[in-house]
Amino acid sequence: MSKVEKFEDLKIWQDGINLSIHVYQTLGTCRDFSFKDQMCRAAVSVPSNIAEGFERHSNKEFIRFLRIAKGSSGELRTQIYIAMGTGLITEEKGTELISKSRLLSAMIQNLIKTRETNF
């Protein structure tokens, strides 16, 4: 494993960026602008909070922001379920996004546990 020197080195940040891009692409033609905005904000919040916490250079602060990022991931999943239920996105696309979000949440939780135990 290579040394993490900047937040861009973190796999969870990279996956958060990819998930955000995927959400934006999925909602590209969505005409429910307020819902689209809310979903995109939740998606963007995940990697943004990971980056902000990392840049604080404090383990306690990093863990706090990782928890916020994890919460945003849960918020996003809820919105994906609503988008599927209302027909804004297909079940296939929604299931894919939910899977990516769950995996990212698990990765964030694992990093929280590691940081709580080892630092």
Side-chain angles (χ1 to χ4, degrees), residues 2-3 11 32 34-35 43 54 68-70 72 78 85 95 101 117:
S2 61
K3 183 174 180 186
K11 175 132 175 54
D32 186 339
S34 62
F35 188 76
F54 187 91
I68 294 167
K70 190 172 183 315
S72 293
T78 298
T95 301
S101 177
T117 306

Side-chain angles (χ1 to χ4, degrees), residues 93-104:
K93 185 56 74 171
T95 301
E96 179 184 351
L97 290 172
I98 287 168
S99 176
K100 289 176 185 287
S101 177
R102 280 188 180 140
L103 178 59
L104 184 55

Side-chain angles (χ1 to χ4, degrees), residues 14-64:
Q14 295 165 6
D15 288 354
I17 290 292
N18 289 334
L19 178 60
S20 296
I21 292 167
H22 204 141
V23 167
Y24 267 86
Q25 290 171 339
T26 299
L27 298 173
T29 60
C30 178
R31 308 230 355 116
D32 186 339
F33 299 112
S34 62
F35 188 76
K36 176 182 177 177
D37 181 62
Q38 184 67 29
M39 239 178 115
C40 288
R41 285 175 184 264
V44 166
S45 178
V46 177
S48 297
N49 278 293
I50 293 166
E52 184 172 355
F54 187 91
E55 288 292 312
R56 299 272 176 138
H57 297 289
S58 158
N59 190 54
K60 184 177 178 182
E61 284 287 290
F62 189 31
I63 290 169
R64 184 170 80 87

